[in-house]
Amino acid sequence: MTTGRRGRLTVYLGAAPGVGKTYAMLDEAHRRRARGTDVVIGLVETHGRAATIAKIGDLEMIPRRHVEHRGSTLTELDVPAVLERAPEVALVDELAHTNAPGSEHPKRWQDVHDLLDAGIDVVTTVNVQHLASLTDDVEAITGVRQRETVPDQVVRDADQIQLTDLSPEQLRRRLAHGNVYRAEQIDASMSSYFRVGNLTALRELALLWLADRVDDALTRYRADHAIDGTWPARERIVVAVTGGPETETLLRRGARIAQRAAGTELLAVHVLPTDGLPSTPSATISAYRTLAESLGGTFHTVVGEDVPSAVVDFARGVNATMIVVGVSRHSVLRQALLGSSSAEIARLSGAIDVHLVTHEQAGTGAGVRSRYSSLSPARRVAGWLTAVLIPVALTLVLLLFGRDEQNLPSHLMFYLAGVVAVALVGGLWPALVTSVVSFAVLNWFFTEPTGLLIIDQPGDVIALVVFVLVAGSVASVVDLAARRSTQAYRARAEASTLAALSRSVLSGEDTAQAIVQRLAQTFAMADVRLEERKDDRSPWTTVAHAGSGEAETVTEVAIDDRHRLLLAGRVLPASDRQVVEAFGAQARIVLEHRRLREQAAQAEVLERTESTRTALLAAVSHDLRTPLAVIRTAVDGLASPDVELDRENRDILTATIADSTYRLERLIGNLLDLSRLQAGAVRPALRAASLEEVVPIAVEPWLSELTLDVPEDLPLVHTDPGLFERVVANVVSNAVRHSPPGAKVLFTASAARDSVELRVADTGPGVPDDRKATMFEPFQRLDDTSSGGLGLGLAVASGLAAAVGARIAAEDTPGGGLTMVLTVPRDGMAQ
């Protein structure tokens, strides 16, 4: 029967086979049935996996429909039987499956639509590689073309999509343990489709595709609910922070914007001194630095007299595409009179987009306190305006309320207060002009005889002179305090910059290049070079360089006799030179530390060489003398005139000499190869080569102990055949030596998109994980007490592999043992 409604579709989406989609679907079926829902299994593909079969439990299963095709019997979903049963929920595995010819629909997803149209809820599964829009991408990643696909819209229209996720390492472990494929398929799968890189890329495809689907769902939700307002989502990039309470809002908004595109950088920039904002405690700045880094960004502090210019210069210096800035906290009146930093940034930004962010403190003036530099143009304009307006306004007010000469002392106080106000805003000279104008106004309007610049009372003369002196003194003190405040701001900015430099060194950015880049960034210089010379007569050479701009003005800052800084760009103020010199001194220390580290590295190399020599002497005393002793004994036996040997004994001694000679040759060959590698004397002749000219020769001595699976149609590789032959031979020799008696070593080869992979798998004791990091170092016997070698085989193989552009790695063999994986680039794919 039908319910009159369309059924709901739930899709379990996975990045690759084996992540557990079917298991999760069955788990949901059990949960629904426990809640009283009528659930049946329409079709489930277990692929013989024990855990999946066990999970089915006692769930009701609809028998499959049998279809005959070319003499074979295939089973498919029996849609009519499910419709007749009419459950509330039906489980249908593998949505992208192609039905057998003769079925009602060519694709299984069309069968699912019939069930949904009948009002039956369907729970299904699909892998991301089966989505039609991703077919080309999946083929480019894995080299495999997916023939079974499902239209993206079918999955997008699902009422619920559950992402079933496993990390590549977890999935490969499941594969190695036999939880996904049969044992004979494991090695081939791990070396082809289930490579870590493939699984990582497929996982990212699944996450990105699902993120797009979430965006679609959000758009539909807003449309259905008639939501017209902007909902912050994402974009990009330099966040201009003041250190005020709105900083956290700006940083988090910038982080959301930066998350939109992969690889986007988030940079927070704080300018000292701040424009009209109070001093920010170091603890607060440190907290915001931590917040920026936790959001995936970096925090930068730059010095600038003008905040908008400093922010824009920084943004241009880092090639920013967007500046995120907050709405000014200043009052509307102040913004109307003097403008705001955000508006100035937008004016100066040019081609850089400006994203203006509002916040709770916008326009409130909260926490804002005027603190202009005495040299600021805005201050000078405001000062001269108040120098004219205050005396005029006071005069008009006092004339309205009386011109009695007895009120002259109170008038003097009013005008003195006006002079102080002008000094606070405009500094010394506007205040002095105000005091002189106030003196003239008081004389003209409020001292007898009025209307003339004449004073007939000695007391009035004294009062006016004292007024001018006091006004000038107060203005001087206020101006001096403003200048001291400016100097304190600059000192704090310099201290903050040097502290940031120290932090960068302590955090590991202890390179001359990092310091030069920070110097160019902090002072907005077009080009900065750190140069050094060996002595006074030697030419200067560039040690570190940042920037690419050309500028006529070049400032030279000497660090010492052997080091100097060249800064191209704006004229460097004298006050900034001290900070630059501090940067230079730090760079000199870094260079000295680098020289000491190089010496320490050379000493370490010498120590390692000496250690190798000691180990070699110890090994030679036994491993090289053993075959020599055997050869000497056999030769003595053959040459002895006192012993009559029959043909069989002579053959035995001759074979003993041959075996010991071969062992000795291999030992000496490995020693010579190791010596050549350590001396850098290996010169590979890379060319296109076929594995047919490498593998047979390399494995010939152990052919009877190998199981070879090397396809004849493998592509050409880019390598040195002779050297790569030595690599293969050493790896195979090591595997044979550690295999149990009678057990054969499996040698397989397969092609990937850009390389060919050789896998040599033995079933020996294997190697513990903690020893795999050192097994490719010389003289590592890995608890091997046999006398068959010096422990050089894998060290030589690793070194020669690196020389010919190949890679060698060790993995555990499923079931026990060690698998050596050799990866060599295909011809035309090598870098």
Side-chain angles (χ1 to χ4, degrees), residues 657-828:
I657 294 173
D659 291 341
S660 298
T661 302
Y662 174 74
R663 183 190 306 172
L664 189 61
E665 287 177 346
R666 289 195 66 249
L667 290 174
I668 295 175
N670 281 334
L671 286 171
L672 292 176
D673 286 340
L674 180 65
S675 176
R676 292 168 60 202
L677 287 169
Q678 291 183 341
V682 177
R683 298 290 185 268
L686 303 178
R687 63 176 176 85
S690 171
L691 289 181
E692 293 180 359
E693 64 181 296
V694 175
V695 174
I697 300 175
V699 304
E700 182 179 4
W702 308 278
L703 200 55
S704 62
E705 299 173 273
L706 294 179
T707 299
L708 287 176
D709 182 13
V710 181
E712 297 180 355
D713 58 349
L714 287 174
L716 297 177
V717 296
H718 188 75
T719 188
D720 182 322
L723 294 178
F724 191 62
E725 176 190 324
R726 293 295 307 276
V727 175
V728 176
N730 279 10
V731 170
V732 171
S733 171
N734 186 76
V736 170
R737 189 155 56 92
H738 290 86
S739 292
K744 289 195 173 185
V745 172
L746 178 62
F747 187 110
T748 61
S750 60
R753 185 163 57 94
D754 57 357
S755 62
V756 173
E757 188 173 273
L758 308 179
R759 301 178 71 88
V760 181
D762 67 59
T763 55
V767 176
D769 290 339
D770 59 342
R771 300 295 302 277
K772 288 177 182 175
T774 60
M775 64 184 296
F776 295 104
E777 296 179 2
F779 306 106
Q780 297 297 314
R781 300 286 291 271
L782 300 177
D783 300 327
D784 177 19
T785 58
S786 68
S787 60
L790 298 173
L792 297 178
L794 292 182
V796 171
S798 178
L800 292 178
V804 299
R807 299 190 307 274
I808 184 170
E811 299 179 358
D812 292 330
T813 301
L818 187 69
T819 298
M820 304 300 293
V821 183
L822 290 171
T823 305
V824 58
R826 292 172 57 168
D827 186 48

Side-chain angles (χ1 to χ4, degrees), residues 520 523-528 545-553 567-570:
F523 292 94
M525 304 303 291
D527 195 273
V528 178
H545 172 229
S548 57
E550 298 293 334
E552 296 181 359
T553 303
L567 298 92
R570 63 186 179 89

Side-chain angles (χ1 to χ4, degrees), residues 450-530:
T450 59
L452 296 174
L453 293 176
I454 298 174
I455 302 175
D456 59 356
Q457 298 293 331
D460 294 342
V461 174
I462 295 174
L464 291 174
V465 170
V466 171
F467 166 81
V468 173
L469 293 176
V470 172
S473 300
V474 171
S476 299
V477 171
V478 171
D479 183 74
L480 181 61
R483 291 180 183 275
R484 291 291 183 266
S485 177
T486 299
Q487 294 172 0
Y489 261 157
R490 174 169 291 279
R492 180 181 177 275
E494 293 173 355
S496 178
T497 301
L498 294 176
L501 174 63
S502 300
R503 280 194 301 270
S504 69
V505 173
L506 293 175
S507 63
E509 297 178 8
D510 55 343
T511 65
Q513 183 64 34
I515 292 176
V516 167
Q517 288 177 343
R518 183 175 288 275
L519 181 60
Q521 194 179 84
T522 300
F523 292 94
M525 304 303 291
D527 195 273
V528 178
R529 294 178 184 273
L530 174 62

Side-chain angles (χ1 to χ4, degrees), residues 403-473:
R403 299 171 53 178
D404 190 347
E405 184 179 357
Q406 295 180 353
N407 293 328
L408 181 60
S410 60
H411 294 168
L412 287 173
M413 293 300 100
F414 284 123
Y415 279 101
L416 182 59
V419 171
V420 172
V422 173
L424 289 172
V425 176
L428 178 61
W429 293 107
L432 291 177
V433 171
T434 302
S435 65
V436 173
V437 172
S438 299
F439 176 89
V441 170
L442 283 167
N443 188 6
W444 184 273
F445 290 104
F446 302 105
T447 59
E448 296 295 339
T450 59
L452 296 174
L453 293 176
I454 298 174
I455 302 175
D456 59 356
Q457 298 293 331
D460 294 342
V461 174
I462 295 174
L464 291 174
V465 170
V466 171
F467 166 81
V468 173
L469 293 176
V470 172
S473 300

Side-chain angles (χ1 to χ4, degrees), residues 609-624:
T609 302
E610 182 63 25
S611 176
T612 300
R613 184 182 296 110
T614 302
L616 176 60
L617 291 175
V620 166
S621 66
H622 177 269
D623 292 272
L624 289 182

